[in-house]
């Protein structure tokens, strides 16, 4: 540890399960990096929808993870745990965490840290890890999206959606999205979506059929579940893949699974947080090899709606839960 590091830091605690007002600044001891971890002086932290679920009491930290919310940060390495050789003190990185990001300092597994892409600020880089790891591992690993294939993304203006649109388009796919308002259409088109379907006014199955000459799409990234699920099966092409990353309208539904057999569909999904470091390390390597050059060239970029001071984490959660944002929300730590 650097000798000048303080013992205590400001962090945002969840005082009890409930609304955004449960996010309260508190004083905590600075965490110590374990074997294979680095200690980061946090510059900015990303806010993600799973943080809201955790605050509500529905998404507890996995065993061993910090109870402080926050799944991604960017900052400077200020101490090294035993065995860390890939980073040195003073390196600027962004990192995927299992928790602890809403704080002045946090620990991160060394393999889950990535360099700041050329040309991006630390703040911008704080918006990258959670959505890029999630999009890569679900759309490209699990659902095996190929250049030339078609992709439907639900929640086109979400943090996940704005990342997925750009990445899939940059890697050669046709992208369609659904959005919950007319004001969300143009931002998705600007990011590279060919069509943004306002689900309040249009049936996405019908729209997808029209866009694909009745063929359907090859891959659907779904965070909605519930009543979307049967319709997703209808909107998929033969050999299509449906990948779940959340169930905003519920995980339980009655389904007619006949399309799975008739069209030889694959239904899959994953959740990132609880996966071991050994699973996340290869995703980080893929991102650095394939995606970081796209960020450095400016071909894709993090879409940041608003940056709040750390102490105003509650306001960031309230905005996220209003669904009025487009892209990412951040907390400025220093
Ligand atoms: N599995 C994983 O590893 C993983 C990792 C990260 C995030 N996630 C999940 O991915 C989702 C997006 O995360 P994020 O941080 O990008 O969140 P976000 O920016 O808050 O986006 C959520 C989006 O969901 C849409 N939405 C909300 N309620 C809806 C409903 N009832 N029906 C249809 N759409 C609805 C909203 O868009 P409209 O207003 O346009 O509908 C909103 O933009 C979250 O559900 C999160 O839990 C999963």
């Amino acid at each position: 540890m650097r000798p000048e590091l303080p013992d205590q830091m400001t962090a945002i605690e969840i005082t009890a399960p409930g609304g955004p007002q449960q996010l309260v600044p508190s004083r905590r001891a600075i965490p110590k990096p374990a074997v294979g971890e680095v200690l980061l002086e946090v510059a900015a932290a990303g806010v993600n929808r799973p943080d809201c679920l955790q605050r509500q009491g529905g998404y507890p930290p996995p065993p061993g993870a910090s109870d402080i919310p926050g799944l991604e940060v960017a900052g400077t390495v200020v101490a090294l745990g035993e065995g860390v050789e890939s980073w040195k003190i003073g390196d600027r990185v962004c990192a995927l965490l299992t928790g602890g990001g809403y704080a002045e300092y946090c620990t991160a597994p060394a393999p889950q840290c990535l360099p700041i892409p050329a040309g991006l600020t630390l703040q911008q880089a704080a918006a990258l890890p959670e959505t890029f790891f999630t999009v890569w591992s679900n759309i490209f690993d699990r659902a095996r999206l190929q250049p030339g294939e078609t992709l439907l993304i639900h929640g086109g203006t979400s943090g996940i959606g704005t990342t997925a649109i750009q990445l899939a388009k940059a890697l050669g796919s046709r992208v369609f999205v659904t959005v919950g308002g007319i004001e969300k259409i143009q931002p998705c088109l600007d990011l590279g979506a060919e069509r943004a379907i306002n689900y309040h006014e249009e049936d996405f199955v019908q729209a997808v059929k029209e866009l694909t000459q009745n063929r359907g799409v090859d891959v659907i990234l779904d965070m909605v579940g519930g009543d979307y699920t049967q319709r997703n099966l209808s909107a998929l092409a033969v050999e299509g893949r449906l990948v779940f990353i959340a169930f905003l309208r519920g995980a339980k539904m009655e389904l007619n699974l006949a399309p799975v057999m008739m069209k030889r569909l694959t239904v899959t999904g994953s959740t990132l947080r609880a996966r071991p470091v050994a699973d996340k390390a290869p995703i980080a390597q893929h991102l650095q090899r394939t995606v970081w050059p796209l960020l450095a060239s400016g071909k894709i970029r993090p879409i940041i709606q608003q940056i709040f001071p750390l102490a105003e984490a509650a306001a960031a959660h309230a905005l996220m839960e209003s669904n009025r944002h487009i892209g990412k929300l951040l907390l400025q730590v220093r």
Side-chain angles (χ1 to χ4, degrees):
M1 289 248 222
R2 273 194 344 215
E4 70 273 24
L5 287 179
D7 298 331
Q8 296 256 308
M9 63 176 185
T10 299
I12 301 296
E13 270 182 5
I14 302 170
T15 51
Q21 74 284 358
Q22 302 294 353
L23 295 174
V24 174
S26 70
R27 297 295 289 168
R28 288 281 188 104
I30 291 186
K32 293 203 168 24
V35 177
E37 289 184 340
V38 297
L39 178 68
L40 299 175
E41 186 179 67
V42 177
V47 175
N48 293 281
R49 196 72 163 212
D51 307 344
C52 301
L53 293 182
Q54 178 176 342
R55 192 207 68 228
Q56 290 161 6
Y59 193 48
S66 170
D67 64 316
I68 296 168
L71 300 174
E72 61 184 350
V73 294
T76 306
V77 176
V78 290
L80 302 174
E82 204 181 307
V84 174
E85 292 178 353
S86 47
W87 302 106
K88 59 183 190 318
I89 289 176
D91 282 346
R92 287 152 43 100
V93 299
C94 57
L96 180 76
L97 313 174
T98 48
Y102 291 13
E104 290 180 303
Y105 294 86
C106 70
T107 55
Q112 291 174 206
C113 297
L114 283 156
I116 307 302
L120 263 62
T121 63
L122 277 174
Q123 270 186 353
Q124 288 174 309
L128 300 175
E130 179 69 10
T131 65
F132 279 81
F133 275 74
T134 301
V135 166
W136 186 268
S137 63
N138 286 285
I139 295 183
F140 297 98
D141 276 353
R142 303 211 65 72
R144 308 178 309 281
L145 183 71
Q146 302 297 314
E149 287 194 323
T150 46
L151 168 69
L152 174 66
I153 302 162
H154 293 303
T157 54
S158 62
I160 294 279
T162 54
T163 297
I165 294 169
Q166 295 186 81
L167 203 44
K169 168 84 176 170
L171 297 179
S173 290
R174 287 177 71 195
V175 181
F176 315 127
V177 300
T178 61
V179 293
I182 192 166
E183 70 290 353
K184 294 184 171 180
I185 291 175
Q186 192 59 44
C188 293
L189 302 181
D190 292 345
L191 291 174
E194 185 175 321
R195 177 85 144 77
I197 304 154
N198 179 357
Y199 63 78
H200 292 303
E201 294 183 349
E202 274 187 276
D203 172 23
F204 71 80
V205 180
Q206 185 61 33
V208 158
K209 293 270 169 77
E210 284 166 16
L211 287 160
T212 58
Q213 286 79 46
N214 243 12
R215 182 180 169 275
V217 286
D218 298 297
V219 172
I220 299 178
L221 179 70
D222 189 35
M223 58 185 74
V224 181
D227 62 326
Y228 272 32
T229 310
Q230 191 73 58
R231 297 161 69 202
N232 282 333
L233 298 182
S234 300
L236 280 168
V238 169
E239 304 276 2
R241 289 86 73 194
L242 170 59
V243 57
F244 286 111
I245 57 165
F247 298 101
L248 286 162
R249 292 196 190 179
K252 294 185 181 169
M253 72 275 313
E254 192 174 303
L255 278 182
N256 174 359
L257 286 170
V260 175
M261 286 197 305
M262 301 307 291
K263 295 195 278 186
R264 303 183 296 284
L265 305 178
T266 301
V267 178
T268 183
S270 74
T271 182
L272 186 62
R273 191 182 189 186
R275 292 176 74 179
V277 177
D279 281 13
K280 294 170 183 165
I283 304 172
Q285 288 158 11
H286 277 297
L287 288 174
Q288 191 168 350
R289 210 169 38 242
T290 310
V291 177
W292 259 223
L294 297 172
L295 286 160
S297 71
K299 196 160 185 189
I300 61 176
R301 66 202 158 91
I303 305 303
I304 298 167
Q305 159 97 45
Q306 198 169 331
I307 302 172
F308 296 79
L310 178 65
E312 292 174 23
H317 275 217
L319 175 56
M320 179 160 272
E321 289 174 312
S322 77
N323 292 326
R324 282 185 288 107
H325 63 295
I326 289 172
K328 297 282 300 185
L329 306 178
L330 295 183
L331 302 176
Q332 172 88 47
V333 180
R334 53 171 57 77

